[in-house]
Amino acid sequence: MRTCRICDSALTEIMSFGDMPIANGFLTSLEEKEFLFPMTLHFCSQCYMVQLGETVPPEAMFNGNYQFVSSTSKAMADHFQGNAEEIQTRLKNVSDPFVVELGCNDGIMLKHIAQAGIRHLGIEPSANVAEMAKANGVNVSVQFFNKATAEKIKAEHGQADVICGSNVFCHIEDLNSVFEGIQVLLKDGGVLFFEDPYIYDIVKKSSFDQIYDEHVYYFSGLSVAELAKRHQLQLVDMAHQDVHGGSMRYYIQPGSQNTVTERVVEWIQKEEDIQLNDTRGYEKFKDSVNAICRDLKTMLEDIKQRGDKVVGYGATSKSTTLLNYAGIGHDLIDYISDNTPNKINKYTPGTHIPIKAYEEFQQDNARHVLLLAWNHKKEIFAKEKDFRASGGRFITFFPEVVIE
Ligand code: TYD
């Protein structure tokens, strides 16, 4: 029987996705052997944490060749600049503040803190993206964060006024060890804030493609409040973010007597309204995911049968889950256009669809485009105004399959 990584209670399986490849395991050649793992989603009815059953060792994902680079989207760059501004506002009256970011990636957020002359440190386990952060003027330490590393940072720099992390906490299997580190490093009166895809949005939209090897946890206010409590910390605020298809930013402070905002109470109520504290909420989710997969595959098969082709837009990590689970391969998708240089000319994990440069898509006459990077819909629809005006159509699929 599986037990919860946070509180050790028995887990209930919500859904099984079969054998899945690593979401960012883009192949250079089809001869390469792929690493597959049985992907399942579980729920803890004690601490409400939704989590993967099996995980992939972090060394296999976040190695020197990690493909994911944050700074590929204008909207995300703006979002992280906003985060940096929020931190600066918060620290206005603090003398010589110290900011620590866990998983600083290429420095997309921390470079603004560095430019403002604020003492900072980025912790980034992937050597190649850490180099990019350094090139962006950011102080980076290449390591995983835990209690031992927190002790060292504290000895060298003192405690932190702000600890933050975006799309990183959900990746860390031993989250208790990270929170033990936070307990050591976070100043009294300081704040930890982190944001990750929000299980409320995932369930509401059935956007199950957020579920993949790198995302061990799918947080809610319910589960984060419990997690914080275990470490003598308190969830004090929540702010919804319109990125990654719906994310939540959680604000946490040391102690148990802080002022808790009305937003926390409201969000937790909304979570309870859709039964995120009960296995029944997740059973409905599973049924609607399966219905979307059926509808999408049928639509793509119909287009193909008419003799038209479909191309994909954005070789996202999350599309690995969608394409593999729905059984959509190279037979249905000609290629996927992407603007990330190191993804081009590679193949998608498991489904082996070729990835081509955006310029090839621009010269193509494809009329049907599967919007795999659906989280960037606004930005992409603005960019592809002419394509749509000339009759080109995007296929989107959450919360239902639509041609638009
Ligand atoms: P991302 O949003 O990071 O999703 P995930 O976390 O699931 O990987 O990925 C977006 C991908 O889409 C990335 O590979 C870049 C690509 N992309 C384009 O090709 N064109 C665009 O206009 C945008 C916004 C993204």
Side-chain angles (χ1 to χ4, degrees):
M1 184 187 43
R2 286 191 190 284
T3 55
C4 175
R5 294 177 179 83
I6 305 299
C7 76
D8 238 3
S9 307
L11 289 173
T12 308
E13 183 175 303
I14 298 169
M15 199 168 169
S16 166
F17 296 88
D19 282 343
M20 280 282 168
I22 292 180
N24 265 298
F26 297 98
L27 303 169
T28 307
S29 134
L30 294 179
E31 311 298 300
E32 274 172 52
K33 195 169 157 29
E34 285 184 271
F35 180 90
L36 298 176
F37 77 109
M39 195 168 89
T40 52
L41 191 68
H42 296 255
F43 171 68
C44 175
S45 10
Q46 284 305 309
C47 75
Y48 311 123
M49 192 64 84
V50 176
Q51 54 202 280
L52 287 184
E54 198 133 324
T55 55
V56 172
E59 292 75 15
M61 297 187 284
F62 304 111
N63 56 25
N65 290 315
Y66 187 50
Q67 311 273 347
F68 186 90
V69 176
S70 291
S71 304
T72 53
S73 147
K74 167 87 174 67
M76 289 310 289
D78 292 347
H79 174 76
F80 287 120
Q81 183 166 1
N83 281 10
E85 283 161 10
E86 183 180 329
I87 292 175
Q88 282 170 262
T89 307
R90 191 175 277 275
L91 295 176
K92 233 175 21 210
N93 298 320
V94 180
S95 81
D96 191 26
F98 180 42
V99 175
V100 174
E101 185 177 25
L102 308 184
C104 68
N105 201 271
D106 60 2
I108 188 168
M109 193 289 286
L110 218 42
K111 69 179 178 192
H112 301 289
I113 298 295
Q115 278 157 15
I118 297 173
R119 275 199 308 133
H120 66 276
L121 184 64
I123 314 288
E124 176 50 66
S126 303
N128 61 332
V129 284
E131 281 307 314
M132 295 182 202
K134 282 184 198 163
N136 278 324
V138 168
N139 302 327
V140 196
S141 172
V142 181
Q143 59 184 349
F144 288 98
F145 182 82
N146 53 34
K147 191 174 175 182
T149 51
E151 299 278 11
K152 272 196 252 159
I153 297 167
K154 181 180 165 185
E156 198 177 331
H157 303 273
Q159 281 183 303
D161 298 274
V162 169
I163 302 178
C164 57
S166 293
N167 305 308
V168 62
F169 279 55
C170 71
H171 292 230
I172 305 173
E173 178 156 19
D174 191 359
L175 204 50
N176 280 323
S177 78
V178 169
F179 272 73
E180 282 165 17
I182 287 163
Q183 266 182 279
V184 169
L185 193 57
L186 188 60
K187 216 180 251 178
D188 261 351
V191 65
L192 157 71
F193 65 85
F194 69 93
E195 63 185 53
D196 282 291
Y198 187 28
I199 187 71
Y200 179 86
D201 285 294
I202 294 174
V203 170
K204 269 283 218 201
K205 295 196 235 303
S206 309
S207 48
F208 74 102
D209 59 355
Q210 285 293 353
I211 303 162
Y212 55 88
D213 60 310
E214 292 176 23
H215 293 168
V216 183
Y217 298 104
Y218 304 85
F219 300 118
S220 56
L222 284 159
S223 60
V224 169
E226 291 295 322
L227 171 64
K229 224 186 291 172
R230 293 180 72 79
H231 297 277
Q232 287 77 54
L233 300 164
Q234 189 176 21
L235 174 65
V236 294
D237 198 7
M238 291 167 73
H240 192 263
Q241 308 295 315
D242 193 20
V243 294
H244 285 298
S247 289
M248 182 56 81
R249 184 181 299 159
Y250 306 91
Y251 297 78
I252 289 171
Q253 293 199 285
S256 59
Q257 303 298 320
N258 303 285
T259 309
V260 176
T261 64
E262 197 52 35
R263 291 202 287 192
V264 173
V265 179
E266 285 166 9
W267 277 113
I268 288 184
Q269 184 58 55
K270 285 172 93 164
E271 293 172 5
E272 288 177 352
D273 289 347
I274 61 163
Q275 295 181 299
L276 296 187
N277 53 350
D278 193 312
T279 48
R280 282 172 298 179
Y282 301 99
E283 278 157 23
K284 286 185 224 153
F285 165 70
K286 177 177 165 176
D287 291 342
S288 68
V289 165
N290 288 332
I292 287 172
C293 289
R294 270 195 309 272
D295 292 352
L296 181 59
K297 191 163 184 188
T298 306
M299 178 184 283
L300 298 177
E301 284 168 347
D302 288 350
I303 295 171
K304 199 79 191 180
Q305 254 163 26
R306 293 204 307 264
D308 290 339
K309 71 173 174 188
V310 182
V311 306
Y313 198 116
T316 55
S317 327
K318 57 185 156 301
S319 52
T320 297
T321 296
L322 176 85
L323 298 171
N324 282 281
Y325 186 60
I328 297 168
H330 193 19
D331 52 333
L332 294 175
I333 306 286
D334 265 44
Y335 64 89
I336 299 175
S337 156
D338 200 283
N339 62 5
T340 315
N342 66 1
K343 288 184 185 173
I344 292 161
N345 293 330
K346 291 190 175 159
Y347 300 90
T348 56
T351 47
H352 303 168
I353 303 168
I355 302 166
K356 296 195 176 174
Y358 177 59
E359 291 68 31
E360 293 206 32
F361 167 68
Q362 283 179 305
Q363 284 154 22
D364 197 353
N365 64 349
R367 300 284 81 193
H368 293 95
V369 176
L370 183 64
L371 187 57
L372 296 165
W374 60 270
N375 49 314
H376 301 287
K377 180 174 163 183
K378 238 201 220 144
E379 181 174 344
I380 292 171
F381 272 31
K383 191 155 98 186
E384 304 303 342
K385 215 167 52 240
D386 294 345
F387 166 76
R388 292 181 73 225
S390 67
R393 287 291 170 260
F394 282 98
I395 301 165
T396 56
F397 34 82
F398 298 135
E400 58 182 350
V401 180
V402 176
I403 295 198
E404 51 187 322

